[in-house]
Amino acid sequence: MAKMHKHRLLFAKTGRACYISHLDLMRTFPRAFLRAGIDVKQTEGFNQHSFVSIALPLSLGYSSVCEILEFELVGDTPLCEVPARMNAVLPEGIRVLDCYEAQVPVKQIAALRWVCRAQFDGGVPAGAGEQFLALFDTDALVIQKPSKKAKKGFTELDLIPLIHSLSLEERGSALELTAVLAAQNPGLNPELLFSTARERCPLFRPDFVEFHREEVLNANFEVFR
Amino acid sequence: MDPRLNRILPRVQKPARYTGGEYREIQKDKRQVDLRFALCFPDNYEIGMSNLGVRILYGVMNNMDGVWCERCFAPWPDMEAEMRQAGIPLYGLESGDPIGTFDFIGFSLGYEMAYTNVLNMLDLAGLPVRAAERGEDAPIVVAGGTCAYNGEPLADFVDIFSLGEGEDVTVEMLELYRKGRQLGWSKAEYLRHAAQIQGLYVPSLYDVTYHEDGTVSAIVPRDGAPEVITKRIVQELDDAYFPTDTIIPSTEIVHDRVMLELFRGCIRGCRFCQAGFCYRPVRPKSREVLVQQGIEACRSSGYQEMTLSSLSSSDYRQLEPLCDELLDYCGEKNINLNLPSLRADGFSMGIMEKLQRSRKSSITFAPEAGTQRLRDAINKNVTEDDLLQSCRTVFEGGCNAVKLYFMLGLPTETDEDVVGIAELANKVYLTWRQYAVSRARGIRITVSTSFFVPKPFTHFQWEAQISMEEYQRRVQLLRSSITNKSIIYNWHDPDTSFLEAVFARGDRRLGPVIEHAWRSGAKFDSWSEYFNLDRWMEAFGACGVDPLFYTARERPYEEVLPWSHISVGVRPAYFWRERNQAYQSVITPDCRVKCMGCGADRLLACGVCDAPLTRREREEAQANG
């Protein structure tokens, strides 16, 4: 079993930074640690660099206020100084909110709370929200999920066990969905809810959906840190 | 950022190219800004952000009070299509504001194949591509970089060409603009005044006439514009702005590392090399400044890789102590130090071994030509012995892959020279057989040939380019001469080199061709997935221009070349003398062995090029008695 990293950063990724990919972020943080003069445990290859790992990579274009980066502080930098020093050298939109010692392994992350904003340019059609919720109010909803690994080019996935809760609220010309979804093994990308709804609910055809990761939860649906 | 982009960006490839917001991007308060400049690079973000010149000018301009310089790159065609469909004009990455409303739009021209992207970007900015059709309120369009030395094919589209190094002249150009605005000058008045600044070439102030045979008969300045426009240089590189505190892209770019420039210019005088002459005179930076800037750049960027750059790094006099001092820092911080552009000699191999923190598995040499006779003709002073000795050193160190770069179609090249490439590669193979530490893993020797493009401001500026058919014949000849299975042969497609040869030495009659090709869809011509020679040939036909006039014709010395009114500081008579030496395969010693009087030293206030000590070093030596 891999040893747990000692320390964690809780960070937000919003605004223009939503378009920084996971791989690019994995390059950005080690450089930022160096710029901040914070000593971090290094990898042991030929090209040594800070050994960092980001739990549950976020899809490109999504925003989040609960990203977790694991690393190990090796110098004598006090943990409380880390956020300010990092924030001084990070790109716009990436903000370190907290730095702390890890208590439980990230594999105990069980669920994520998402806020997804479905924009209807011509106004929300009457009944669209009801249709959306009704679609998922069932015992099983098996969809075909595109997969590069599977021979058929897709795998079958039942969405229902991966959905812990859904609630919708109408805000102006948008429907705002708050969803608690399985985080890993397997996780459910909220985009799948919308692509499925688009196929099966005639009224639910939003022009654009924004995805925002709001909280990381454990199996008891308590905040995970 | 335009909110409409939020809907577009999730659909395009690599959206981080289009957002800005990187660490150290410059944001300014618009209320404090009176001059806005869009620094445009006519290729994608990854390539543009790798350009040191762009980073220097970005810093120089943003260091000016009240000036806000923003970056702008050519959107990849998927993004362009989305922008056009949504009606989003080209915007500056920093503010997201449309660049069509800025005071200046500046292009960095590094490569002829980017010309269509210049037009496309002007069009995306919502501006007419032709300078004459842009109104008083439209931004001033300026272009600099290597291609600006003969910018004639773009003369219809550009208001000002900035010749040479931009550190000083850009500031002067912007200050003059402010003065003109205060005095209420029209655009035409501003351009007339700008033409008086050394290094600024305003093409609309020159009338070009042609002989019946299509050659230029005269280039006549108007409204007091100078007869010869001389490029600008930075006098003291030690004092010049260097971007140690530059933008760190949030996405991977081509040169994603610290670039430390050792010196400008080159002492070598390879007869085909445009950079070797256009960047003269040779001006080194002092070691102390380089060490300090190198360390500062690593510290402030977080990069763990640094490249020492120049045209021929072995010629930096204090290379070894410089590397030692940088290694002291880099070794401790796990920073890799790269040293490309080394000569194939023992001294360089020694330094390279020192920098290597592990065995290097592959190395690249550029002998350029296959026989000593032709290498002498092009003044590439590398001998077969040098090359084989260097190969021996790397083979003994465990290297098992060598890349060799050559050009086909060099002036005076014969079939013997072509076959000579295969023979040289074979000798490299035999050297490996003799000296390899282990033959078990085999050897891979890669021979690559490109198609020689004669460039202006070189000894070969009067030469014809061989035809594409002849190039293909030579490729086949070389191909059939390589029988060793360990030698892999790659050759460049001749299409783009042919077009490059047209535009490199082109004149103003090519403007309509570029516009026609662009209107028929040409863009990103340096990318094979978008390049289409047929489209270009159709454009030549439609405009009644014969491309062979520019490529296949050897020019007499008396001919008025389209760039005759431009000076890079090197005398045309020197170029011609050297050209004749080439035909006799007579080598010319490098500048340190003997000054050949090229004339570039006249650009220096101190009159001494390649001074053994920089001013700072002389002053220090004096202070220490």
Coordinates of all heavy atoms in Angstrom, one line a residue, chain B residues 54-119:
Chain B
V54 N 9.5 38.1 -27.7 CA 8.2 38.5 -27.3 C 8.2 38.8 -25.8 O 7.6 39.8 -25.4 CB 7.2 37.3 -27.6 CG1 5.9 37.6 -26.8 CG2 6.9 37.2 -29.1
R55 N 8.9 38.0 -25.0 CA 8.9 38.2 -23.6 C 9.7 39.5 -23.3 O 9.4 40.2 -22.3 CB 9.6 37.0 -22.9 CG 8.6 35.8 -22.9 CD 9.4 34.6 -22.4 NE 8.5 33.4 -22.3 CZ 7.8 33.0 -21.3 NH1 7.8 33.7 -20.2 NH2 7.1 31.9 -21.4
I56 N 10.8 39.7 -24.0 CA 11.5 41.0 -23.8 C 10.7 42.2 -24.1 O 10.6 43.1 -23.3 CB 12.8 41.0 -24.6 CG1 13.8 39.9 -24.1 CG2 13.5 42.4 -24.6 CD1 15.1 39.7 -24.9
L57 N 10.0 42.2 -25.2 CA 9.3 43.4 -25.6 C 8.1 43.6 -24.7 O 7.7 44.7 -24.4 CB 8.8 43.3 -27.1 CG 9.9 43.4 -28.1 CD1 9.4 43.2 -29.5 CD2 10.7 44.7 -28.0
Y58 N 7.5 42.5 -24.2 CA 6.4 42.6 -23.3 C 6.8 43.3 -22.0 O 6.1 44.2 -21.5 CB 5.9 41.1 -22.9 CG 4.7 41.0 -22.0 CD1 3.4 41.2 -22.5 CD2 4.8 40.6 -20.7 CE1 2.3 41.0 -21.7 CE2 3.7 40.5 -19.9 CZ 2.5 40.7 -20.4 OH 1.4 40.5 -19.6
G59 N 8.0 42.9 -21.5 CA 8.5 43.5 -20.3 C 8.9 45.0 -20.5 O 8.6 45.9 -19.7
V60 N 9.6 45.2 -21.7 CA 10.0 46.6 -22.0 C 8.8 47.6 -22.0 O 8.8 48.6 -21.4 CB 10.8 46.6 -23.3 CG1 10.9 48.1 -23.9 CG2 12.2 46.0 -23.1
M61 N 7.8 47.1 -22.7 CA 6.6 48.0 -22.9 C 5.9 48.2 -21.6 O 5.4 49.3 -21.3 CB 5.7 47.5 -24.0 CG 6.3 47.8 -25.4 SD 5.2 47.5 -26.7 CE 5.7 45.9 -27.3
N62 N 5.7 47.1 -20.9 CA 4.9 47.2 -19.7 C 5.6 47.9 -18.6 O 5.0 48.4 -17.6 CB 4.4 45.8 -19.2 CG 3.2 45.4 -19.9 OD1 2.3 46.2 -20.2 ND2 3.2 44.1 -20.4
N63 N 7.0 48.0 -18.7 CA 7.7 48.9 -17.8 C 7.5 50.4 -18.0 O 7.9 51.2 -17.2 CB 9.2 48.5 -17.9 CG 9.6 47.3 -17.1 OD1 8.8 46.8 -16.3 ND2 10.7 46.7 -17.4
M64 N 6.9 50.7 -19.2 CA 6.6 52.1 -19.4 C 5.3 52.5 -18.7 O 4.3 51.8 -18.8 CB 6.4 52.3 -21.0 CG 7.7 52.1 -21.8 SD 7.4 52.3 -23.6 CE 7.2 54.1 -23.8
D65 N 5.4 53.6 -18.0 CA 4.2 54.1 -17.4 C 3.1 54.4 -18.4 O 3.4 55.0 -19.5 CB 4.5 55.5 -16.6 CG 5.0 55.2 -15.3 OD1 4.8 54.0 -14.8 OD2 5.7 56.1 -14.7
G66 N 1.9 54.0 -18.1 CA 0.8 54.3 -19.0 C 0.6 53.5 -20.2 O -0.3 53.6 -21.0
V67 N 1.6 52.6 -20.4 CA 1.5 51.7 -21.6 C 1.1 50.3 -21.1 O 1.7 49.8 -20.1 CB 2.9 51.6 -22.3 CG1 2.8 50.5 -23.5 CG2 3.3 52.9 -22.9
W68 N 0.1 49.7 -21.7 CA -0.3 48.4 -21.4 C -0.1 47.5 -22.6 O -0.8 47.7 -23.6 CB -1.7 48.3 -20.9 CG -2.1 47.0 -20.3 CD1 -1.3 45.9 -20.0 CD2 -3.4 46.6 -19.8 NE1 -2.0 44.9 -19.4 CE2 -3.3 45.3 -19.3 CE3 -4.7 47.2 -19.8 CZ2 -4.4 44.6 -18.7 CZ3 -5.7 46.5 -19.3 CH2 -5.6 45.2 -18.7
C69 N 0.9 46.6 -22.6 CA 1.1 45.7 -23.7 C 0.5 44.3 -23.3 O 0.7 43.8 -22.2 CB 2.6 45.5 -23.9 SG 3.0 44.2 -25.0
E70 N -0.4 43.9 -24.2 CA -1.0 42.6 -24.0 C -0.6 41.6 -25.1 O -0.2 42.0 -26.1 CB -2.6 42.7 -24.0 CG -3.0 43.7 -23.0 CD -4.6 43.8 -22.9 OE1 -5.2 42.7 -23.0 OE2 -5.1 44.9 -22.7
R71 N -0.8 40.3 -24.8 CA -0.4 39.3 -25.7 C -1.6 38.8 -26.5 O -2.7 38.8 -26.1 CB 0.2 38.1 -25.0 CG 1.5 38.4 -24.3 CD 1.7 37.3 -23.2 NE 0.6 37.3 -22.3 CZ 0.2 36.3 -21.7 NH1 0.7 35.1 -21.9 NH2 -0.9 36.3 -20.8
C72 N -1.3 38.3 -27.7 CA -2.3 37.8 -28.6 C -1.7 36.8 -29.5 O -0.6 37.1 -30.1 CB -2.9 38.9 -29.4 SG -4.4 38.5 -30.3
F73 N -2.2 35.6 -29.6 CA -1.7 34.5 -30.5 C -2.7 34.1 -31.5 O -3.9 34.4 -31.3 CB -1.2 33.3 -29.6 CG -0.2 33.7 -28.5 CD1 -0.7 34.1 -27.3 CD2 1.1 33.8 -28.8 CE1 0.2 34.5 -26.3 CE2 2.0 34.2 -27.9 CZ 1.6 34.6 -26.6
A74 N -2.2 33.4 -32.5 CA -3.2 33.0 -33.5 C -4.0 31.9 -33.0 O -3.5 30.9 -32.5 CB -2.4 32.5 -34.8
P75 N -5.4 32.1 -33.0 CA -6.2 31.0 -32.5 C -6.1 29.8 -33.4 O -6.1 30.0 -34.6 CB -7.6 31.6 -32.4 CG -7.6 32.7 -33.3 CD -6.1 33.2 -33.4
W76 N -6.0 28.6 -32.8 CA -6.1 27.4 -33.7 C -7.4 27.4 -34.4 O -8.4 27.9 -33.9 CB -5.9 26.2 -32.7 CG -5.4 25.0 -33.5 CD1 -6.1 23.8 -33.7 CD2 -4.1 24.8 -34.1 NE1 -5.4 22.9 -34.4 CE2 -4.2 23.5 -34.7 CE3 -3.0 25.5 -34.2 CZ2 -3.1 23.0 -35.4 CZ3 -1.9 25.0 -34.9 CH2 -1.9 23.8 -35.5
P77 N -7.4 26.7 -35.6 CA -8.6 26.8 -36.4 C -9.9 26.4 -35.7 O -11.0 27.0 -36.0 CB -8.3 25.9 -37.6 CG -6.8 26.1 -37.8 CD -6.3 26.2 -36.4
D78 N -9.9 25.5 -34.8 CA -11.1 25.1 -34.1 C -11.6 26.3 -33.3 O -12.8 26.7 -33.3 CB -11.0 23.9 -33.2 CG -10.0 24.1 -32.0 OD1 -9.1 25.0 -32.1 OD2 -10.0 23.3 -31.0
M79 N -10.7 27.0 -32.6 CA -11.1 28.2 -31.8 C -11.5 29.4 -32.8 O -12.5 30.1 -32.5 CB -9.9 28.6 -30.9 CG -10.2 29.9 -30.1 SD -11.5 29.6 -28.9 CE -11.4 31.2 -28.0
E80 N -10.8 29.5 -33.9 CA -11.1 30.6 -34.8 C -12.6 30.4 -35.3 O -13.3 31.4 -35.4 CB -10.1 30.6 -36.0 CG -10.5 31.7 -37.0 CD -9.8 31.5 -38.3 OE1 -8.7 30.9 -38.4 OE2 -10.3 32.1 -39.3
A81 N -12.9 29.2 -35.7 CA -14.3 28.9 -36.2 C -15.3 29.3 -35.1 O -16.3 30.0 -35.4 CB -14.4 27.5 -36.6
E82 N -15.0 29.0 -33.9 CA -16.0 29.3 -32.8 C -16.1 30.8 -32.6 O -17.2 31.4 -32.4 CB -15.5 28.7 -31.5 CG -15.5 27.1 -31.5 CD -16.9 26.6 -31.1 OE1 -17.9 27.3 -31.0 OE2 -17.0 25.3 -31.0
M83 N -14.9 31.5 -32.6 CA -14.9 32.9 -32.4 C -15.7 33.6 -33.6 O -16.5 34.6 -33.3 CB -13.5 33.5 -32.4 CG -12.8 33.1 -31.1 SD -11.0 33.5 -31.2 CE -11.0 35.3 -31.1
R84 N -15.4 33.2 -34.8 CA -16.1 33.8 -35.9 C -17.6 33.6 -35.8 O -18.4 34.5 -36.1 CB -15.6 33.3 -37.3 CG -14.2 33.8 -37.6 CD -13.8 33.5 -39.0 NE -12.4 33.8 -39.4 CZ -12.0 35.0 -39.8 NH1 -12.8 36.0 -39.9 NH2 -10.7 35.2 -40.0
Q85 N -18.0 32.4 -35.4 CA -19.4 32.1 -35.4 C -20.1 32.9 -34.3 O -21.2 33.4 -34.4 CB -19.6 30.6 -35.1 CG -21.1 30.2 -35.4 CD -21.4 28.7 -35.1 OE1 -20.4 27.9 -34.8 NE2 -22.6 28.4 -35.2
A86 N -19.4 33.1 -33.1 CA -20.0 33.8 -32.0 C -19.8 35.3 -32.2 O -20.3 36.1 -31.4 CB -19.4 33.4 -30.7
G87 N -19.0 35.7 -33.2 CA -18.8 37.1 -33.4 C -17.9 37.7 -32.4 O -18.0 38.9 -32.0
I88 N -16.9 36.9 -31.9 CA -16.0 37.4 -30.9 C -14.7 37.8 -31.6 O -14.1 37.0 -32.2 CB -15.6 36.3 -29.8 CG1 -16.9 35.9 -29.1 CG2 -14.6 36.8 -28.9 CD1 -16.7 34.8 -28.1
P89 N -14.4 39.1 -31.6 CA -13.1 39.5 -32.3 C -11.9 39.1 -31.5 O -12.0 38.8 -30.3 CB -13.3 41.1 -32.3 CG -14.2 41.4 -31.2 CD -15.1 40.2 -30.9
L90 N -10.8 39.1 -32.1 CA -9.5 38.8 -31.5 C -9.3 39.7 -30.3 O -9.4 40.9 -30.4 CB -8.4 39.0 -32.5 CG -7.1 38.2 -32.3 CD1 -7.3 36.7 -32.2 CD2 -6.1 38.5 -33.4
Y91 N -8.9 39.1 -29.2 CA -8.8 39.9 -27.9 C -7.4 39.7 -27.3 O -6.7 38.8 -27.6 CB -9.9 39.5 -27.0 CG -9.9 38.0 -26.6 CD1 -9.1 37.5 -25.6 CD2 -10.6 37.1 -27.4 CE1 -9.1 36.1 -25.3 CE2 -10.6 35.7 -27.2 CZ -9.9 35.3 -26.1 OH -9.8 33.9 -25.9
G92 N -7.0 40.7 -26.5 CA -5.8 40.6 -25.7 C -6.0 39.7 -24.6 O -7.0 39.7 -23.9
L93 N -5.0 38.8 -24.3 CA -5.2 37.8 -23.3 C -5.4 38.4 -21.9 O -6.0 37.9 -21.0 CB -4.0 36.8 -23.2 CG -4.0 35.8 -24.4 CD1 -2.8 34.8 -24.1 CD2 -5.3 35.0 -24.5
E94 N -4.7 39.6 -21.7 CA -4.7 40.2 -20.3 C -6.1 40.8 -20.0 O -6.6 40.5 -18.9 CB -3.6 41.3 -20.3 CG -2.2 40.7 -20.0 CD -1.6 40.0 -21.2 OE1 -2.2 40.0 -22.3 OE2 -0.5 39.5 -21.1
S95 N -6.6 41.6 -20.9 CA -7.9 42.3 -20.6 C -9.1 41.6 -21.2 O -10.2 41.9 -20.7 CB -7.8 43.7 -21.1 OG -7.8 43.7 -22.5
G96 N -8.9 40.9 -22.2 CA -10.0 40.3 -22.9 C -10.6 41.3 -23.9 O -11.6 41.0 -24.5
D97 N -10.1 42.5 -24.0 CA -10.6 43.5 -24.8 C -10.2 43.3 -26.3 O -9.1 42.8 -26.6 CB -10.1 44.9 -24.4 CG -10.7 45.3 -23.0 OD1 -11.7 44.8 -22.6 OD2 -10.0 46.2 -22.4
P98 N -11.1 43.7 -27.2 CA -10.8 43.5 -28.7 C -9.5 44.3 -29.1 O -9.5 45.5 -28.7 CB -12.0 44.0 -29.4 CG -13.1 44.1 -28.4 CD -12.4 44.2 -27.0
I99 N -8.6 43.7 -29.7 CA -7.3 44.4 -30.0 C -7.5 45.5 -31.2 O -6.7 46.3 -31.4 CB -6.2 43.5 -30.4 CG1 -6.5 42.7 -31.7 CG2 -5.9 42.6 -29.2 CD1 -5.2 42.0 -32.2
G100 N -8.7 45.3 -31.9 CA -9.0 46.3 -32.9 C -9.1 47.7 -32.4 O -9.1 48.7 -33.2
T101 N -9.3 47.9 -31.1 CA -9.5 49.2 -30.5 C -8.2 49.7 -29.9 O -8.2 50.8 -29.3 CB -10.5 49.1 -29.4 OG1 -10.0 48.3 -28.3 CG2 -11.8 48.6 -29.8
F102 N -7.1 48.9 -30.0 CA -5.8 49.3 -29.4 C -5.2 50.4 -30.2 O -5.6 50.7 -31.4 CB -4.9 48.1 -29.2 CG -5.3 47.2 -28.1 CD1 -6.6 47.1 -27.6 CD2 -4.4 46.3 -27.5 CE1 -6.9 46.3 -26.6 CE2 -4.7 45.4 -26.5 CZ -6.0 45.4 -26.0
D103 N -4.1 51.0 -29.7 CA -3.3 52.0 -30.4 C -2.4 51.3 -31.4 O -2.1 51.8 -32.5 CB -2.6 52.9 -29.5 CG -3.5 53.6 -28.5 OD1 -4.3 54.4 -29.0 OD2 -3.4 53.3 -27.3
F104 N -1.8 50.2 -31.0 CA -0.8 49.5 -31.8 C -1.1 48.0 -31.9 O -1.6 47.4 -30.9 CB 0.6 49.6 -31.2 CG 1.3 50.9 -31.6 CD1 1.1 52.0 -30.8 CD2 2.1 51.0 -32.7 CE1 1.8 53.2 -31.1 CE2 2.8 52.2 -33.0 CZ 2.6 53.3 -32.2
I105 N -0.9 47.4 -33.0 CA -0.8 46.0 -33.1 C 0.6 45.6 -33.6 O 0.9 46.1 -34.7 CB -1.9 45.4 -34.1 CG1 -3.3 45.7 -33.5 CG2 -1.7 44.0 -34.4 CD1 -4.5 45.2 -34.3
G106 N 1.3 44.8 -32.9 CA 2.7 44.5 -33.3 C 2.8 43.0 -33.6 O 2.4 42.2 -32.7
F107 N 3.4 42.7 -34.7 CA 3.6 41.3 -35.0 C 5.1 40.9 -34.9 O 6.0 41.7 -35.3 CB 3.2 40.9 -36.4 CG 1.7 40.9 -36.6 CD1 1.0 42.0 -37.0 CD2 1.0 39.7 -36.2 CE1 -0.4 42.0 -37.2 CE2 -0.4 39.7 -36.3 CZ -1.1 40.8 -36.8
S108 N 5.4 39.7 -34.4 CA 6.7 39.2 -34.4 C 6.8 38.3 -35.6 O 6.1 37.3 -35.7 CB 7.0 38.4 -33.1 OG 8.2 37.7 -33.3
L109 N 7.7 38.6 -36.6 CA 7.7 37.8 -37.8 C 9.0 36.9 -37.8 O 10.1 37.4 -38.1 CB 7.8 38.7 -39.1 CG 6.6 39.7 -39.3 CD1 6.9 40.5 -40.5 CD2 5.3 38.9 -39.5
G110 N 8.9 35.7 -37.5 CA 10.1 34.8 -37.5 C 10.2 33.9 -38.7 O 11.2 33.4 -39.0
Y111 N 9.1 33.8 -39.4 CA 9.0 32.7 -40.4 C 8.1 33.1 -41.5 O 7.0 33.6 -41.2 CB 8.6 31.4 -39.7 CG 8.6 30.2 -40.6 CD1 9.7 30.0 -41.5 CD2 7.6 29.2 -40.5 CE1 9.8 28.8 -42.2 CE2 7.7 28.1 -41.2 CZ 8.8 27.9 -42.1 OH 8.8 26.7 -42.8
E112 N 8.5 33.0 -42.8 CA 7.7 33.4 -43.9 C 6.3 32.7 -44.0 O 5.4 33.3 -44.4 CB 8.4 33.2 -45.2 CG 9.7 34.1 -45.5 CD 10.9 33.5 -44.8 OE1 10.8 32.5 -44.1 OE2 12.0 34.2 -44.9
M113 N 6.3 31.5 -43.5 CA 5.1 30.7 -43.6 C 4.0 31.2 -42.6 O 2.9 30.7 -42.6 CB 5.4 29.2 -43.3 CG 6.2 28.6 -44.4 SD 5.4 28.5 -46.0 CE 6.2 29.9 -46.8
A114 N 4.4 32.2 -41.8 CA 3.4 32.8 -40.9 C 2.6 34.0 -41.5 O 1.8 34.5 -40.8 CB 4.0 33.2 -39.6
Y115 N 3.0 34.4 -42.7 CA 2.4 35.6 -43.2 C 0.9 35.6 -43.3 O 0.2 36.5 -43.1 CB 3.0 35.9 -44.6 CG 4.5 36.4 -44.6 CD1 5.2 36.5 -45.8 CD2 5.1 36.6 -43.4 CE1 6.5 37.0 -45.8 CE2 6.4 37.1 -43.4 CZ 7.1 37.2 -44.6 OH 8.4 37.6 -44.6
T116 N 0.4 34.4 -43.7 CA -1.1 34.4 -43.9 C -1.8 34.5 -42.5 O -2.9 35.1 -42.4 CB -1.6 33.0 -44.5 OG1 -0.9 32.0 -43.9 CG2 -1.3 33.0 -46.0
N117 N -1.1 34.1 -41.4 CA -1.6 34.2 -40.1 C -1.7 35.7 -39.7 O -2.5 36.1 -38.9 CB -0.8 33.4 -39.1 CG -1.3 32.0 -39.0 OD1 -2.1 31.6 -39.8 ND2 -0.8 31.3 -38.0
V118 N -0.7 36.5 -40.2 CA -0.8 37.9 -39.9 C -2.1 38.5 -40.5 O -2.8 39.2 -39.8 CB 0.5 38.7 -40.5 CG1 0.3 40.2 -40.4 CG2 1.7 38.2 -39.9
L119 N -2.4 38.2 -41.7 CA -3.6 38.7 -42.4 C -4.8 38.2 -41.6 O -5.8 38.9 -41.4 CB -3.6 38.3 -43.8 CG -3.0 39.2 -44.8 CD1 -1.5 39.4 -44.5 CD2 -3.2 38.8 -46.3

